[in-house]
């Protein structure tokens, strides 16, 4: 199931993982945190030992995302030698996916693993701390967060809700999606019914299409019956498992709508501030470590699954035509820039992000972008 | 000072940092680990407390590299609440830079922060765990290490020397360098005297040039007097501080020789295996956390310094001509592939790396590479 499906509040079934509401109490023995060192039922021997609940917006063990959340919980528990035990709750186990933000605010849980794109109803600028159309790659985004003023702005925004945020994963650039008809020019977006949520939906609408949001379980029948003409998801790693290649013939990438796919963790700020310095650093380092590890999992998974799609299933992958690229990037940047009108903090966030993005665009031809271009030339 | 200068064993002076041999004993109070919680002179209160020495191949607090090593030492010390205190030694303080590998093998130090490209004399395949010409970006490399079999091969190679390795930083794609004359075609490499070390030197030689290796302090006078016609270093972040723009007119990038710039930490394996599980994970997570953090520092620093070079110093940055790209990448890949003849493990390392690289090349147009291309098109 794609993480963005939870925007619709749906608990669809996909990739073998169900996000049904389990109504599990926080002390239920059926919730296994995956860690061996600090049984949740045992009384704490060390009087300072604490147990935290981490809610997530993913099904349990969902590849990359749910497994990443579990790795963070396990690392905190194990690095602290059980002084801070983190128990993981999949979407719906303690609270529904989209109540994770409020659950950590009100103390129902101490921590969450999610994506900032989900909290646009809390603050229009939240997606800048995950990914926005026409934006930046993970490497560029990380430069902005750690060394370009991004973390301070994120702290300020989430701090207003009593939360402390951290980067805690990434999917990398997402694919443009699966289409029933070939996209020859931007005109082919006119009247196109495409399943795409969030800021990307607004881009498709501005291109003349009709964006619809469907939960995971409804996409395949909608595509088969013609209710929709196209859908995007994540990338080969997840798309192959979903089976879109069995229905839609044209696979386009990269997408214009989610160039990073930044994943976050956030902690109740009072609870975080009350931790000892060593435990604060353990929480932070567990998130930082997972950031690169998850992106590596997606990168390797995408590589391998793309090869399977192409070599075993005969899928042809295409780039969007140039006029589509120009129109979609323009519309995406317009959607991003309009958030600056939402208030003083929103303007500072957009201005900081935009200035960093502009430098990154100037730099890319002489850095990773240019290298991959040169390597492709030499390999052709 | 560029890290690769240490290959020449030289202690040059650059960027305000001197790597002179300080003959400092391991208990000298003049070595400040930068951590407040575990004074090195104080007796350990916890009977299990340990102190480790981390040697590095960098000058103390050298931007990005020395500061990154310090952050790793501090995080381990602070996350363990002083149960494992790590004291940092800059190059030359405990052992010279290029004795770091043997110093950790023989127990003179427990840990090191370095780059695998330095240990080619120990094993010809070592550079694959940092960067090789025509290779992979950091994101791709990380996919191979964490999820493509790379870490197991690295463990096997270093394990043969009694060491346990971790990724622990990255510089990103490095620049091609500063040239006194314009490079119009591959013919302009004929007779070119260029300061470039390692596998990249072999590439320049195969293009008809003469690669020379000079320590940092000797590059500027050599460039001014015409002893060399060109030099590469790292990228704008470090090159601006060095002042090459005052001498050489033509700045080319990206380079073909170091597309990742992977930085490592390694630990004496016996010492690592003897740690408790929580401390093992703390050491590992400190290295993983620094990997992304350092790359973010270089990314942001390169962006900002490129803008200064172009806008304030009028530097024109160019891409290498296409025939140079083709010839250099072919030569680079040949240099990399020839390592496979060095033995059974060398062949397995090359084969694994090469297969992953091939998938990454197929994937790049639909992932980060394609995204940056599309974004450039839309921004033009």
């Amino acid at each position: 199931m794609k993480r963005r499906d939870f925007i619709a509040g749906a608990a669809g079934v996909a990739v073998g993982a169900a996000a049904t509401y389990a109504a599990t109490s926080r002390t239920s023995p059926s919730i296994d945190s995956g860690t061996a060192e600090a049984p949740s039922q045992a009384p704490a021997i060390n009087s300072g030992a604490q147990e935290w609940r981490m809610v997530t917006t993913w099904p349990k063990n969902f590849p990359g995302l749910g497994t990443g959340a579990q790795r963070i919980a396990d690392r905190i528990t194990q690095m602290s030698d059980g002084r801070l035990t983190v128990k993981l709750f999949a979407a719906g186990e303690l609270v529904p996916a989209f109540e994770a933000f409020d659950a950590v605010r009100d103390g129902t849980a101490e921590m969450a693993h999610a994506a900032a794109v989900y909290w646009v109803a809390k603050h229009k600028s939240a997606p800048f701390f995950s990914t926005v159309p026409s934006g930046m790659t993970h490497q560029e985004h990380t430069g902005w967060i750690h060394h370009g003023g991004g973390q301070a702005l994120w702290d300020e925004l989430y701090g207003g809700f009593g939360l402390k945020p951290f980067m805690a994963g990434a999917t990398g650039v997402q694919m443009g999606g699966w289409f029933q008809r070939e996209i020859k020019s931007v005109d082919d977006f006119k009247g196109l019914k495409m399943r795409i949520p969030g800021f990307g939906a607004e881009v498709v609408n501005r291109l003349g299409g009709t964006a619809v949001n469907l939960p995971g379980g409804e996409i395949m029948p909608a595509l088969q019956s013609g209710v929709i003409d196209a859908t995007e998801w994540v990338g080969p790693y997840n798309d192959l498992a979903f089976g879109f290649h069995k229905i839609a013939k044209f696979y386009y990438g990269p997408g214009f709508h989610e160039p990073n796919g930044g994943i976050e963790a956030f902690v109740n700020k009072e609870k975080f501030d009350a931790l000892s310095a060593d435990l604060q650093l353990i929480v932070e380092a567990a998130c930082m470590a997972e950031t690169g590890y998850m992106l590596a999992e997606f990168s390797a998974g995408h590589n391998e699954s793309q090869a399977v799609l192409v070599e075993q299933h005969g899928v042809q992958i295409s780039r969007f035509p140039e006029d589509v690229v120009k129109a979609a990037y323009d519309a995406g940047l317009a959607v991003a820039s309009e958030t600056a009108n939402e208030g003083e903090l929103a303007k500072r966030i957009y201005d900081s992000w935009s200035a960093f993005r502009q430098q990154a665009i100037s730099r890319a031809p002489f850095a990773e972008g240019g290298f991959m271009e040169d390597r492709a030339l030499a390999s052709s």
Side-chain angles (χ1 to χ4, degrees), chain A:
Chain A
M1 179 174 306
K2 185 165 195 187
R3 60 192 169 78
R4 285 172 298 180
D5 286 299
F6 291 105
I7 290 174
V13 177
V15 202
T20 50
Y21 184 69
T24 312
S25 85
R26 59 188 260 206
T27 53
S28 164
S30 73
I31 303 300
D32 172 20
S33 72
T35 61
E37 298 185 35
S40 61
Q41 304 301 319
I45 293 168
N46 179 334
S47 64
Q50 302 178 58
E51 185 170 295
W52 275 13
R53 291 148 294 186
M54 181 201 279
V55 293
T56 75
T57 48
W58 337 113
K60 200 168 187 78
N61 291 321
F62 185 76
L65 302 170
T67 51
Q70 185 68 65
R71 286 188 291 255
I72 290 172
D74 290 350
R75 274 193 187 276
I76 294 171
T77 302
Q78 291 165 0
M79 283 199 283
S80 71
D81 200 16
R83 287 178 299 136
L84 178 56
T85 297
V86 179
K87 281 170 61 77
L88 185 77
F89 294 86
E93 285 185 336
L94 186 61
V95 296
F98 287 103
E99 291 179 19
F101 196 87
D102 287 332
V104 178
R105 288 177 72 187
D106 69 18
T108 301
E110 287 77 17
M111 187 171 185
H113 191 248
V117 290
Y118 295 157
W119 318 125
V120 68
K122 303 290 182 189
H123 196 289
K124 200 65 180 282
S125 305
F128 286 96
F129 302 100
S130 170
T131 190
V132 290
S134 315
M136 294 192 275
T137 65
H138 173 73
Q139 182 173 331
E140 294 165 348
H141 177 78
T142 304
W144 179 57
I145 293 292
H146 281 319
H147 296 279
Q151 184 69 50
L153 289 163
W154 198 7
D155 286 346
E156 186 177 346
L157 193 160
Y158 277 39
F161 295 95
L163 302 173
K164 166 64 184 167
F166 301 99
M167 287 197 297
T171 68
V173 170
Q174 301 207 356
M175 287 293 281
W178 298 84
F179 294 72
Q180 291 285 25
R181 295 193 305 270
E182 191 177 356
I183 299 293
K184 294 178 184 161
S185 81
V186 71
D187 288 341
D188 292 315
F189 271 85
K190 293 209 172 96
L192 184 87
K193 289 167 290 181
M194 180 168 182
R195 182 260 172 215
I196 179 172
F199 281 1
E202 181 59 23
V203 174
V204 167
N205 289 337
R206 292 185 189 194
L207 296 185
T210 303
V212 295
N213 199 358
L214 293 173
E218 295 177 26
I219 297 179
M220 293 282 270
L223 207 52
Q224 274 173 314
S225 67
V227 168
I228 56 172
D229 311 306
T231 187
E232 61 75 61
W233 197 240
V234 175
Y237 184 41
N238 309 76
D239 293 10
L240 170 65
F242 205 93
F244 292 119
H245 58 282
K246 296 173 192 160
I247 303 180
K249 194 171 161 191
F250 301 97
Y251 194 23
Y252 285 91
F256 42 77
H257 58 309
E258 295 200 342
N260 174 23
I263 306 302
E264 69 184 359
F266 50 84
V267 180
N268 181 292
K269 198 168 178 312
E270 272 183 33
K271 296 284 173 66
F272 184 76
D273 290 344
L275 289 179
S276 58
D278 57 328
L279 291 179
Q280 286 185 342
L281 283 165
I282 281 174
V283 169
E284 183 186 64
C287 293
M288 292 172 79
E290 181 58 26
T291 300
Y293 193 83
M294 186 192 292
L295 182 61
E297 179 178 348
F298 275 103
S299 297
H302 286 328
N303 285 357
E304 205 165 307
S305 298
Q306 177 177 302
V308 171
L309 284 169
V310 170
E311 290 160 22
Q312 294 179 27
H313 299 293
V315 169
Q316 289 216 350
I317 311 179
S318 306
R319 300 282 291 274
F320 283 123
E322 290 198 359
D323 69 327
V324 170
V325 168
K326 286 182 179 172
Y329 276 73
D330 283 355
L333 198 55
V335 170
S337 67
E338 288 163 17
T339 64
N341 304 325
E342 301 280 329
E344 186 271 335
L345 176 57
K347 183 169 183 341
R348 279 191 288 124
I349 290 170
Y350 175 74
D351 287 348
S352 171
W353 176 88
S354 180
F356 198 94
R357 174 183 177 274
Q358 205 51 56
Q359 283 194 339
I361 288 175
S362 300
R363 174 87 193 116
F366 309 110
E368 275 66 19
F371 168 74
M372 286 188 271
E373 208 169 61
D374 285 354
R375 188 180 58 181
L377 175 73
S379 306
S380 64

